[in-house]
Amino acid sequence: MDYFAQQLINGLVLGSIYGLIAIGYTMVYGIVGMINFAHGDIFMIGGFIAMISFLVLVSLGLTAIPLILLIVLLVSMVITALYGWTIERIAYRPLRHSFRLAPMLSAIGMSFVLTNFSQVSQGARVKPVPPIITGGYTLHEGSEGFAVQLSNIQIVVVLATIVLLAVFTWLVSRTRLGRDMRACEQDQTMASLLGVDVDRTISMTFVIGAALAAVAGMMYLLYYGLVDFFMGFVAGIKAFTAAVLGGIGSLPGAMLGGLAIGLIETFWSAYFSVEYKDVAAFSILIVVLIFMPTGLLGRPEVEKV
Amino acid sequence: MSGDPILTVDRLMMRFGGIVAVNELSFAAERRKITALIGPNGAGKTTVFNCITGFYRPSGGAIRLAHDDGRSIQLERLNDFRISKQAKVARTFQNIRLFPGMTALENLMVAQHNALMRASGLTLLGLLGLPSWREAEQRAIELARTWLDRVGLLDRADDAAGNLPYGDQRRLEIARAMCTEPALLCLDEPAAGLNARESGGLNELLLSIRNEQGTSILLIEHDMSVVMEISDHVVVMDYGVKIAEGTPQAVRDDPKVIAAYLGADEEEAIAVMESGT
Amino acid sequence: MSATSARPSHAAQPSGSAFILKKALISAAVALVLFSLMIGVRTEAGPQGGLIYWTRFGDLAAMVGTVFGGSIIIELLRQWWGPVDKDRIVPKPVQAAMSFAGRWLAPALLVFAFLVPVIFYNQRYILDLSILVLTYVMLGWGLNVVVGLAGLLDLGYVAFYAVGAYSYALLATNFGLSFWVCLPLAGILAAFWGVLLGFPVLRLRGDYLAIVTLAFGEIIRLVIINWQSLTGGPNGVSGIPRPTLFGIPLDNSDDGLAAKLGIEFSPTHRIVFLFYLILAMALLTNWVTIRLRRLPIGRAWEALREDEVACRALGINVTTTKLTAFATGAMFGGLAGAFFATRQGFISPESFTFQESALVLAIVVLGGMGSQLGVALAALTMIGGFELFRGFDQYRMLVFGIAMVLLMIWRPRGLIGHRAPTVFLERNQAISSDLVKEGHG
Ligand SMILES: Nc1ncnc2c1ncn2[C@@H]1O[C@H](COP(=O)(O)OP(=O)(O)OP(=O)(O)O)[C@@H](O)[C@H]1O
Ligand SMILES: [Mg+2]
């Protein structure tokens, strides 16, 4: 039971990270109708920028951990968001009304560019950082010496996710930008006729998605204490799986799907085998798509004949 | 209704969530006759077609097809492609659905897929280029040529279907449906977007299909001149239910129909306009 | 970035030097922010395990300067060319010349391919490279059946390549079966896996199919890595037997081919043999595909790509039709995989990554979906281009990624922009690719 509770906590934390990435996939898919293959690498870039800025801040002599974290968060969100904006501008916008495969290949190409850019510029080796947020609570002391732990870093990850989701939900449901985004999702031509700046709205979608991915990257760095240039690929596929599982296009669905994937992966590793945890996640994707093609919260797609 | 129906629709129901698009609809289409299904926009006509041709699974009711040889098939139990393959029901679409990147001739060859698959020994004999396959292919090309000629597109056989003018595309779609050698041909607004001359030609084509091929035709049409001129029997729908049926003259004089549809000139004009876009 | 720059009209575009400068400055500023930390600061795990860093402001300045200069050049070029559209980049006469060239290009390439071992007999490097190119030509032609003809997006094609390679490797090393027995088996097994995967997932449309095939490719790779007892895990399988000329080995033993023919042995013999083997396999793939296109099954594939709903209305069983396309493509992938295994003599999971799938897909799309000649040209360009960066291993994938983006922007429909009809009455005229659909599945 204790073991189960511990895995539940771990799974929720991992799921929060996946959920944050998944939102970027789902938003872009909702508006532009493409899988942004480079999004996993945006997450990786976010992690790198958090790592570098943290290192620089510490070496500059800053010691107040909360202040450092706040600055790192802002820096990585802003710079990573600019990556998202630039990529849309360079690689996707010229292909927006092109054939379906062209933007997808362009996105795959962009994903290679980012992966290898970071490999070339920062080296191929794993970058470890010392634990930044330490300490925690013991929730329950088990009879066989097994204790359920809730570390501070886990609390930070979950809290940050919740706060960001609240801000984000407010953004898409209450603001002008959110309304424009929903309008573009329904019908871009109509939206532009009604005075919505479609280009800008799509850009903002990429910016927001990238900023959330940057947060996920930073959380990953804090939680696992390392980043490497290849981490975007697998995390990206899993987050996309999460988006599909939740129902692509649905924002709560993305978060829900993220949590589900995080839990599945954690429990699979805990009770079956660590080696096959990714196989489990991908198999679930296939099974879900076969039996529930619209995901948990997705709208059913009607085929008009 | 007496006679020899090829298609009997019995209390057909189709719901989409809360919307009841077709409500307990019953009618029959006579063999070797042209039956028209008319009604204002949104009456549920296309939905009936989709149920007959297996694109939608009806929420209730039965659709029976009686072949010349006495074989009777429950269409609501078959899925889409079997309806064309086994039940020999062909259709066209309200929004033309040709294969735009293939030539007119290729479109008609694709329509003969099942026959050609058999002739090519499920591809294996064809891969070896056996003479029996070559003959079958030649016959298929001849059939396609015949139909291209009948719809007046012989000289455009090698042009991409997507490059043909609108009226030609409509006729090509009918030719393609006929290449499946159907017992029942379902046409969804074949005259939509055609000018008067073209729609006159369409009338002749449909009559000749009925008279020469002996194909039964079920027709959705907003263009009343077409309906009045060629149909043998008319079924009128409104809001998913049948409000009248009979000969074209009888329907035209039916006050219920006039109220719902024909009488309101304005609406008819709008209907014709909208179906053309 | 102003609204006017998006307007297609040439005359309306601002063109003053102030505008160009402003644009370049903005680009440089963006680059500065993007690269500030990623290039300006270099991190590395230090000797004690902790991270250390050093700054590289020189590199950063150089990059920003490059972006600034590049932006000016691109803007100047753009104003010189006028609005970017297809006719501008490839002028009509050139297009006409290209379609004319297309008529004799294919036979010329074929003749040249046959002569490669004669011309370059002493240049081992070129022979090896040609074998590599031909392998990708074959893979491209195989995937072309799935993506180009049937319009099904398969991002996990490498899975079938892997199945073929491991089938041969394991059958040959464990049971001592010869290459010629294993080759068809590898094809059949790959096709079998294609059906197994395809059966449940081919109902999915578009991007869902893409992501499921991608997941499948990863699953196969992960299983290969983790099922150590069967596959040797990350260490791979080594000692895979070399192919024989119908039982006669190509080595310097007494019953080797050289001894039998009474000529002096040279390792080049085997390379030449491998070259003609893959050439034959690729040509077989091509022949079968061209043949299939003119058969009802191939026409149904293309019809499926054009309009699936219409296919169903015409009585075409969409599921089996898709399955046959998937299985055919998988089979060719498997055959190529078996060849890869016998050529390398050693295989490991590293050869079957997503990058490989992406490369083959890029070849197909760049070739111009469905065009056999285009795929061959694209494979030649891509693999050849890749080779140019042999010395700069680090930058290879980076350049490959950039090339993919640029090529897509330049020619979203690929090199060969038209489709040849499969049957005609009077005139055999090509169909512009603008009309050809690319499928939803
Ligand atoms: N797939 C679907 N999902 C939900 N509602 C549908 C669907 N198909 C049809 N409907 C609804 O069913 C009703 C009937 O539509 P249908 O297309 O059958 O009308 P119609 O008689 O063919 O009209 P028109 O003359 O304009 O073609 C409409 O209210 C339509 O919105
Ligand atoms: Mg209709």
Side-chain angles (χ1 to χ4, degrees):
Chain A
M1 192 60 222
D2 284 348
Y3 187 62
F4 179 85
Q6 182 67 62
Q7 298 309 326
L8 190 66
I9 294 175
N10 298 350
L12 287 176
V13 174
L14 182 61
S16 304
I17 296 178
Y18 287 149
L20 285 175
I21 313 176
I23 289 177
Y25 277 114
T26 247
M27 277 201 317
V28 167
Y29 196 92
I31 290 196
V32 209
M34 70 173 280
I35 301 176
N36 180 8
F37 258 95
H39 191 63
D41 295 279
I42 292 278
F43 154 76
M44 177 271 299
I45 293 278
F48 264 84
I49 293 187
M51 179 269 296
I52 298 171
S53 49
F54 172 76
L55 205 61
V56 172
L57 286 176
V58 170
S59 78
L60 289 180
L62 223 58
T63 48
I65 295 284
L67 184 62
I68 292 185
L69 288 180
L70 194 66
I71 299 178
V72 168
L73 182 71
L74 288 179
V75 167
S76 52
M77 278 175 90
V78 168
I79 299 187
T80 313
L82 193 62
Y83 272 90
W85 181 87
T86 313
I87 287 171
E88 194 273 335
R89 200 60 235 261
I90 296 178
Y92 304 157
R93 191 176 295 180
L95 293 170
R96 195 172 302 151
H97 300 290
S98 184
F99 310 98
R100 184 174 61 97
L101 277 181
M104 173 170 275
L105 276 185
S106 185
I108 293 176
M110 213 62 224
S111 149
F112 290 160
V113 170
L114 289 178
T115 307
N116 292 280
F117 166 66
S118 121
Q119 183 191 6
V120 167
S121 66
Q122 294 295 327
R125 264 189 283 165
V126 173
K127 307 277 188 277
V129 291
I132 301 159
I133 303 172
T134 48
Y137 305 90
T138 303
L139 294 185
H140 182 260
E141 199 75 60
S143 46
E144 294 126 47
F146 184 87
V148 184
Q149 306 275 355
L150 179 63
S151 63
N152 285 338
I153 167 70
Q154 289 178 324
I155 298 175
V156 168
V157 171
V158 172
L159 275 186
T161 307
I162 291 173
V163 170
L164 271 163
L165 278 185
V167 172
F168 176 73
T169 310
W170 169 81
L171 202 70
V172 290
S173 59
R174 289 287 140 81
T175 62
R176 171 84 206 265
L177 174 67
R179 229 176 43 225
D180 289 356
M181 280 162 75
R182 277 174 286 140
C184 289
E185 202 169 326
Q186 302 254 319
D187 187 337
Q188 281 185 22
T189 324
M190 201 60 207
S192 74
L193 285 176
L194 295 175
V196 174
D197 186 342
V198 176
D199 278 349
R200 201 182 130 261
T201 309
I202 290 177
S203 278
M204 283 314 289
T205 308
F206 277 84
V207 164
I208 296 174
L212 289 178
V215 179
M218 177 176 164
M219 297 301 151
Y220 185 94
L221 176 78
L222 294 179
Y223 191 50
Y224 291 101
L226 53 86
V227 285
D228 70 85
F229 75 95
F230 208 68
M231 73 189 207
F233 178 64
V234 172
I237 306 185
K238 282 195 209 152
F240 186 79
T241 305
V244 172
L245 183 61
I248 196 132
S250 153
L251 298 174
M255 206 56 225
L256 194 67
L259 291 178
I261 293 289
L263 287 171
I264 289 164
E265 192 181 322
T266 314
F267 280 113
W268 188 279
S269 311
Y271 289 101
F272 300 103
S273 74
V274 186
E275 290 86 26
Y276 285 100
K277 70 177 164 65
D278 291 353
V279 175
F282 297 148
S283 306
I284 294 223
L285 170 74
I286 298 184
V287 171
V288 167
L289 279 179
I290 291 168
F291 293 105
M292 236 184 351
T294 50
L296 297 170
L297 302 182
R299 282 170 299 232
E301 198 176 304
V302 276
E303 182 182 42
K304 278 267 181 184
V305 180
Chain B
M1 193 172 148
S2 62
D4 173 21
I6 182 166
L7 179 80
T8 318
V9 174
D10 187 19
R11 299 173 58 174
L12 181 69
M13 283 287 280
M14 188 70 222
R15 286 189 210 94
F16 297 105
I19 306 171
V20 183
V22 180
N23 193 358
E24 303 255 324
L25 178 76
S26 301
F27 72 92
E30 291 285 305
R31 197 179 302 285
R32 289 181 231 291
K33 292 276 160 63
I34 297 180
T35 308
L37 186 59
I38 66 171
N41 284 126
K45 307 177 295 291
T46 301
T47 308
V48 172
F49 263 37
N50 285 339
C51 291
I52 294 173
T53 52
F55 282 93
Y56 294 160
R57 182 142 293 207
S59 322
I63 306 168
R64 195 173 65 251
L65 189 85
H67 273 291
D68 289 0
D69 56 11
R71 222 161 29 109
S72 163
I73 301 176
Q74 296 296 133
L75 294 187
E76 79 277 7
R77 297 201 191 132
L78 292 183
N79 30 20
D80 48 23
F81 79 92
R82 293 214 173 77
I83 289 192
S84 169
K85 189 176 175 177
Q86 293 165 7
K88 292 279 160 209
V89 178
R91 73 171 287 180
T92 64
F93 294 88
Q94 189 168 350
N95 314 307
I96 304 174
R97 280 182 174 271
L98 288 166
F99 305 121
M102 302 173 91
T103 64
L105 177 64
E106 283 181 306
N107 268 270
L108 302 196
M109 295 296 282
V110 172
Q112 303 175 55
H113 177 80
N114 287 316
L116 285 174
M117 265 319 251
R118 244 170 285 127
S120 72
L122 297 175
T123 306
L124 287 179
L125 303 181
L127 207 53
L128 301 174
L130 294 193
S132 70
W133 154 248
R134 295 229 194 89
E135 279 162 30
E137 187 182 33
Q138 220 45 52
R139 275 198 305 277
I141 294 176
E142 280 318 309
L143 181 65
R145 189 201 293 272
T146 313
W147 277 106
L148 283 169
D149 196 23
R150 281 185 68 175
V151 299
L153 289 173
L154 197 52
D155 55 331
R156 311 225 44 181
D158 299 322
D159 288 337
N163 264 345
L164 298 178
Y166 191 82
D168 289 357
Q169 293 198 8
R170 282 248 173 247
R171 290 203 308 279
L172 181 61
E173 207 189 9
I174 296 174
R176 188 180 67 178
M178 285 312 293
C179 277
T180 65
E181 311 202 296
L184 174 67
L185 176 65
C186 302
L187 302 172
D188 199 342
E189 304 198 12
L194 301 192
N195 59 34
R197 192 173 51 81
E198 285 175 323
S199 102
L202 178 75
N203 287 353
E204 276 166 36
L205 174 66
L206 296 187
L207 287 173
S208 83
I209 287 176
R210 180 192 67 183
N211 298 340
E212 290 169 32
Q213 264 64 39
T215 309
S216 318
I217 297 179
L218 183 62
L219 173 79
I220 295 178
E221 195 43 75
H222 280 297
D223 186 335
M224 282 308 133
S225 66
V226 175
V227 173
M228 290 301 146
E229 201 170 307
I230 64 169
S231 47
D232 302 301
H233 187 76
V234 180
V235 177
V236 191
M237 285 179 77
D238 196 11
Y239 293 112
V241 296
K242 180 172 77 181
I243 55 170
E245 75 177 307
T247 60
Q249 286 70 29
V251 164
R252 187 171 52 191
D253 300 336
D254 189 321
K256 264 189 294 184
V257 177
I258 296 169
Y261 188 85
L262 282 177
D265 276 338
E266 229 177 85
E267 270 180 32
E268 190 192 333
I270 293 170
V272 172
M273 259 170 58
E274 279 182 357
S275 60
T277 52
Chain C
M1 329 267 123
S2 62
T4 42
S5 72
R7 228 184 280 163
S9 151
H10 184 36
Q13 252 183 9
S15 55
S17 52
F19 169 77
I20 295 176
L21 206 64
K22 188 179 143 215
K23 212 167 166 177
L25 278 174
I26 293 176
S27 307
V30 169
L32 179 66
V33 178
L34 290 184
F35 298 144
S36 55
L37 291 179
M38 289 301 282
I39 292 184
V41 179
R42 172 73 156 91
T43 55
E44 196 52 271
Q48 274 85 44
L51 274 182
I52 53 166
Y53 78 94
W54 62 95
T55 56
R56 290 185 300 196
F57 294 136
D59 292 359
L60 178 61
M63 274 307 283
V64 172
T66 311
V67 170
F68 182 76
S71 170
I72 291 181
I73 292 172
I74 287 175
E75 196 55 37
L76 283 175
L77 279 179
R78 184 182 294 174
Q79 295 191 356
W80 183 55
W81 272 102
V84 179
D85 61 47
K86 188 175 143 215
D87 289 343
R88 274 289 179 155
I89 288 181
V90 185
K92 274 266 146 63
V94 177
Q95 282 180 24
M98 265 164 53
S99 75
F100 172 76
R103 230 161 282 153
W104 55 261
L105 189 57
L109 270 181
L110 187 62
V111 170
F112 178 72
F114 269 103
L115 293 180
V116 162
V118 181
I119 303 172
F120 301 104
Y121 185 80
N122 287 323
Q123 280 155 291
R124 169 93 196 243
Y125 169 70
I126 295 204
L127 287 182
D128 277 337
L129 183 58
S130 318
I131 291 176
L132 191 67
V133 168
L134 283 173
T135 312
Y136 280 97
V137 169
M138 175 161 176
L139 284 173
W141 279 340
L143 184 60
N144 193 24
V145 172
V146 183
V147 180
L149 295 185
L152 302 167
L153 189 44
D154 183 354
L155 287 181
Y157 192 57
V158 75
F160 306 119
Y161 190 45
V163 167
Y166 271 90
S167 302
Y168 170 57
L170 296 177
L171 287 172
T173 51
N174 291 335
F175 303 107
L177 295 182
S178 84
F179 177 73
W180 295 103
V181 176
C182 291
L183 186 66
L185 281 180
I188 290 168
L189 279 171
F192 170 75
W193 276 97
V195 173
L196 212 62
L197 167 72
F199 197 69
V201 306
L202 283 176
R203 293 184 299 137
L204 299 173
R205 303 182 68 106
D207 301 333
Y208 284 171
L209 181 65
I211 209 77
V212 164
T213 48
L214 190 156
F216 177 72
E218 281 301 295
I219 289 178
I220 292 274
R221 194 175 62 87
L222 290 167
V223 168
I224 290 176
I225 292 179
N226 288 309
W227 194 351
Q228 306 225 357
S229 57
L230 180 72
T231 62
N235 300 329
V237 184
S238 52
I240 303 169
R242 302 308 197 146
T244 55
L245 185 65
F246 304 107
I248 308 171
L250 292 145
D251 53 21
N252 59 356
S253 67
D254 283 344
D255 13 87
L257 184 68
K260 290 228 161 120
L261 293 178
I263 53 175
E264 198 178 327
F265 172 77
S266 147
T268 313
H269 292 165
R270 197 177 72 221
I271 308 295
V272 171
F273 174 69
L274 283 172
F275 178 89
Y276 282 116
L277 178 61
I278 185 64
L279 182 63
M281 284 169 67
L283 288 179
L284 179 76
T285 309
N286 185 34
W287 180 80
V288 170
T289 312
I290 290 178
R291 207 67 208 216
L292 285 176
R293 261 194 87 212
R294 301 196 179 134
L295 287 171
I297 189 70
R299 282 202 197 101
W301 289 340
E302 291 201 77
L304 208 60
R305 177 192 67 202
E306 298 283 314
D307 193 327
E308 187 177 326
V309 168
C311 282
R312 276 151 56 187
L314 294 174
I316 296 176
N317 185 342
V318 171
T319 315
T320 49
T321 307
K322 283 181 179 177
L323 268 184
T324 51
F326 218 61
T328 309
M331 180 187 75
F332 290 135
L335 295 177
F339 173 81
F340 176 75
T342 192
R343 176 184 107 111
Q344 299 292 96
F346 163 75
I347 51 171
S348 76
E350 265 172 51
S351 308
F352 307 105
T353 56
F354 172 64
Q355 260 118 332
E356 218 58 27
S357 290
L359 177 58
V360 180
L361 184 65
I363 287 173
V364 172
V365 175
L366 178 67
M369 308 248 299
S371 160
Q372 296 292 97
L373 176 62
V375 168
L377 289 178
L380 192 63
T381 323
M382 288 279 220
I383 306 300
F386 228 56
E387 265 323 283
L388 292 181
F389 286 87
R390 177 174 274 277
F392 317 88
D393 240 6
Q394 269 199 320
Y395 294 93
R396 253 171 132 184
M397 283 310 286
L398 188 63
V399 172
F400 174 57
I402 294 174
M404 246 168 108
V405 174
L406 291 181
L407 286 171
M408 280 306 113
I409 293 173
W410 176 52
R411 300 219 76 172
R413 289 241 90 166
L415 294 173
I416 305 279
H418 52 75
R419 171 184 176 271
T422 58
V423 58
F424 60 93
L425 282 186
E426 313 270 300
R427 288 158 292 145
N428 187 4
Q429 57 188 12
I431 298 167
S432 155
S433 65
D434 295 332
L435 292 171
V436 179
K437 296 271 182 292
E438 50 180 347
H440 300 280

